[in-house]
Amino acid sequence: EVQLVESGGGLIQPGGSLRLSCAASGFTVSNNYMIWVRQAPGKGLEWVSVIYSGGSTYYADSVKGRFTISRDNSKNTLFLQMNSLRAEDTAVYYCARVRAIAVLDYWGQGSLVTVSS
Amino acid sequence: DIQMTQSPPSLSASVGDRVTITCQASQDISYYLNWYQQKPGKAPKLLIFDASNLETGVPSRFSGSGSGTNFTFTISSLQPEDIATYYCQQCDNLPLYTFGQGTKLEIK
């Protein structure tokens, strides 16, 4: 059974850093595209970052230069390192598996990140 | 960048009604369009991929159609458990996985 479990969210001050984890089971992270999608309170879905199976990484303009996506193949885990956090980064962050490069078929339960002083 | 415009932003319908949501792309995306359902407090769930293909395990009252720039998502007979927000997502202009703004569906 495919499962994705996020962790690492919490309350952080503006300018701070946080690392989200997404532990996967039932499939191999490194063989798939993996994506982070966020949802600000009361708002819609926004893709944040994607890592391809070959290792290429891409970022939304809103987080480019501040966020880094990575994976640990030995732990079958996806990460999102978030630096220089801003109030507008406050959101629930979801990780998801990307099937056939384009279809987000399995999602984690989400991890809330709150950026506030 | 491709913009995805969903309408209506919200919708109220009765149990048993046929419900239709539209999604318009700012440029031709062929059939590279997915639909997701998000219930309050939950993660999104894939319903339809490649415009018209029903994901395994999803009830047949859900369907999708369209190609190019205009797409439609339909619930043939609304059920109480279908209360949710529905999102389209284009997958033609990768790696930009752009979502529509969402349509919040409520029971009348």
Side-chain angles (χ1 to χ4, degrees):
Chain A
E1 181 194 6
V2 170
Q3 253 194 325
L4 295 166
V5 179
E6 295 104 337
S7 60
L11 175 64
I12 187 74
Q13 291 190 337
S17 297
L18 211 56
R19 188 176 82 155
L20 301 181
S21 300
C22 172
S25 57
F27 73 101
T28 302
V29 165
S30 61
N31 290 343
N32 288 267
Y33 289 19
M34 297 293 296
I35 193 170
W36 287 97
V37 174
R38 69 183 180 183
Q39 185 170 39
K43 302 298 184 182
L45 302 171
E46 178 191 20
W47 86 276
V48 173
S49 180
V50 62
I51 183 166
Y52 286 179
S53 51
S56 297
T57 59
Y58 300 90
Y59 301 90
D61 287 344
S62 56
V63 306
K64 201 172 296 182
R66 301 187 299 122
F67 289 13
T68 302
I69 190 171
S70 64
R71 65 192 181 206
D72 184 328
N73 297 345
S74 66
K75 296 181 179 178
N76 209 32
T77 298
L78 178 73
F79 300 101
L80 186 67
Q81 177 67 43
M82 304 183 293
N83 299 331
S84 303
L85 282 161
R86 307 166 179 166
E88 53 266 34
D89 296 319
T90 294
V92 174
Y93 286 74
Y94 297 99
C95 64
R97 187 180 80 168
V98 184
R99 184 180 79 207
I101 78 169
V103 180
L104 284 60
D105 63 349
Y106 287 95
W107 297 64
Q109 84 286 358
S111 185
L112 176 62
V113 173
T114 303
V115 184
S116 174
S117 55
Chain B
D1 295 356
I2 297 176
Q3 307 301 317
M4 305 302 296
T5 303
Q6 257 184 265
S7 61
S10 64
L11 177 58
S12 182
S14 301
V15 172
D17 281 355
R18 182 180 184 88
V19 170
T20 299
I21 298 168
T22 64
C23 185
Q24 185 171 49
S26 59
Q27 63 190 68
D28 189 334
I29 59 170
S30 186
Y31 58 87
Y32 298 113
L33 190 285
N34 306 320
W35 290 96
Y36 301 85
Q37 174 194 65
Q38 186 180 33
K39 296 184 177 181
K42 299 295 186 182
K45 174 186 174 184
L46 174 67
L47 297 182
I48 303 284
F49 63 96
D50 292 348
S52 61
N53 293 285
L54 193 67
E55 179 70 353
T56 302
V58 173
S60 59
R61 64 180 180 273
F62 297 102
S63 65
S65 64
S67 65
T69 61
N70 292 296
F71 300 86
T72 300
F73 171 81
T74 301
I75 306 174
S76 60
S77 178
L78 184 66
Q79 300 302 303
E81 60 266 32
D82 299 336
I83 298 313
T85 299
Y86 293 84
Y87 294 92
C88 62
Q89 174 240 326
Q90 69 85 22
C91 43
D92 177 64
N93 182 218
L94 299 179
L96 305 181
Y97 292 79
T98 314
F99 291 90
Q101 307 95 319
T103 295
K104 187 175 183 179
L105 178 56
E106 298 174 328
I107 292 284
K108 193 180 293 182

